[in-house]
Amino acid sequence: MSDATTSLLVLAAAVGLFVWNRLPAAVVAVLTALALAATGVVTEAQAVAGFGDPVVVFIATLFVLSEGLQASGVTAWAGDLLLTRAGSGHRRVAVAVMALAALISALVTPNGAAAAVLPVALLVARRSGSAPSRLGIPLAYAASAGALLTLAGSPVNVIVSDALADTTGDRFGFFEFAALGVPLTLVTVLVTALLGSRLLPDRAAPDPAPGTVVHEDVRVGGAAVRAVVVLGATIGLLASGAVTPALAGLAGAAAMVLTGVVRPSRALRAVPWETLVLIGGLIPLSAAISGSGAADVLADLVVRVVPDGDGHLLLVALFLLTVALGQFVSNAATVLVVTPIALAAGAEVGVGAEPVLMLVAAAGAASFLTPLATPANMIVQGPSGYRFGDYWRLGAVVTLAWLVVVTVVVPLVWPLGP
């Protein structure tokens, strides 16, 4: 059996285990790396190399920075300020919640944004007499969109930027994602504002768990100032390209601890170790798919559905493939798997790496159809009173809107030619 066939079988087994959802995602990732080593597709060193990859280090530091903003009260202060000015009208409140979630997500990832904004959103819903079910899903969707505003917005962005560096020697700029993230965020807010009242359930939430909607007085003091300064300096390092993202992130995380914004023990607890194991365990799979020729096999299948090598239709096909996989598998895992396939398909059709990778990042963030698609969706599910089938109605419309925006904006900003 060829390495390409073995890689595809391991991929199919991994996807099946993810969808089965009986094993932790991190366990599936580790089993995937072990299977690739046991079958000889990758060496033992390659099987464990993902856990020390710079992308894993950088992602860990982003969560420490996020913890600094939350621990110092910056996110709560921003929430109070924005939502106080929004008033009590349902549509204005929904737009304000989405704007806040998108902005925070650009700095602290969608999961951090959902966790930070949800208590404020639930409190505002109670005060205004609105159902929490009218705010939870919009919050999660806006967080996914806001993640595309900066390089630090999501592990997915870091993954595709790293892939671009491996392919071309260049990286996406820190704010380069905003060329696509801004229109996607705006269309997400617009669709929700226009159709949310029709497509979202109007359902009372269950009794909140202790601490879910507790809203403490926000005290913004010296720690908040230090946190903002550290974040600004880290963003400056990332934007300048003076050092690698991993080093910039480590410097920022260390500064959060050294300035007293975050205690060392709290910084360690803030790191999502399961997510890091998931990504580290799947990096060998991504490398195996690319190096064994499996990516070329799958790319041929994708290209066959694209008549005459049409680059625009290739973008559509890759978007649909990524979105379909991403509704049941984490977006980071999805992008790690799809990236080598997309690059191979792009090379075969004559489409450059930049537009292909930016499209994959956007499609990976389009996690709107199921609560399993992203932790942000799951964070809002219980407190907002959602059922599994509540996501797809508004989610399908938002996904279609994203497809239109992506296929229009990507070729304009990143020309399709290699």
Side-chain angles (χ1 to χ4, degrees), residues 66-357:
S66 169
E67 184 66 19
L69 294 180
Q70 294 187 51
S72 63
V74 172
T75 54
W77 170 80
D80 273 6
L81 180 64
L82 185 58
L83 295 176
T84 297
R85 295 184 177 183
S88 59
H90 168 70
R91 184 168 294 179
R92 292 186 63 185
V93 167
V95 170
V97 166
M98 295 182 75
L100 178 62
L103 290 174
I104 293 179
S105 179
L107 302 174
V108 302
T109 77
N111 305 338
V117 179
L118 180 61
V120 181
L122 294 177
L123 182 68
V124 170
R126 288 205 306 179
R127 287 178 176 175
S128 63
S130 300
S133 58
R134 295 297 183 91
L135 294 178
I137 283 177
L139 186 166
Y141 290 179
S144 292
L148 289 167
L149 294 174
T150 67
L151 173 67
S154 169
V156 165
N157 301 353
V158 182
I159 291 169
V160 298
S161 183
D162 196 57
L164 181 64
D166 290 341
T167 305
T168 68
D170 296 321
R171 295 182 181 273
F172 288 118
F174 186 83
F175 293 106
E176 189 173 354
F177 290 87
L180 183 57
V182 168
L184 286 176
T185 301
L186 291 176
V187 78
T188 303
V189 173
L190 179 63
V191 168
T192 303
L194 294 177
L195 301 176
S197 60
R198 298 180 184 178
L199 300 177
L200 289 171
D202 188 356
R203 183 183 304 130
D207 293 334
T212 301
V213 295
V214 172
H215 188 62
E216 300 177 353
D217 293 334
V218 179
R219 295 180 176 88
V220 179
V225 174
R226 295 195 297 274
V228 171
V229 170
V230 169
L231 179 66
T234 305
I235 291 174
L237 277 176
L238 290 168
S240 69
V243 296
T244 64
L247 283 178
L250 282 173
M256 283 290 186
V257 174
L258 292 175
T259 56
V261 177
V262 181
R263 295 190 302 274
S265 59
R266 187 165 180 174
L268 290 172
R269 288 197 302 270
V271 176
W273 299 106
E274 182 175 359
T275 298
L276 300 187
V277 173
L278 170 68
I279 294 173
L282 289 180
I283 285 176
L285 176 60
S286 181
I289 290 173
S290 177
S292 68
D296 296 325
V297 173
L298 294 175
D300 286 341
L301 296 176
V302 173
V303 170
R304 286 178 190 174
V305 306
V306 180
D308 301 323
D310 189 307
H312 290 84
L313 290 180
L314 175 65
L315 295 184
V316 173
L318 290 174
F319 184 92
L320 295 176
L321 171 65
T322 307
V323 167
L325 184 60
Q327 302 313 308
F328 302 98
V329 179
S330 77
N331 50 12
T334 298
V335 169
L336 280 169
V337 169
V338 172
T339 290
I341 301 169
L343 287 171
E348 189 168 339
V349 175
V351 176
E354 290 89 346
V356 163
L357 290 171

Side-chain angles (χ1 to χ4, degrees), residues 10 89 281 402 405 414:
V10 172
W402 275 43
V405 171
W414 299 275

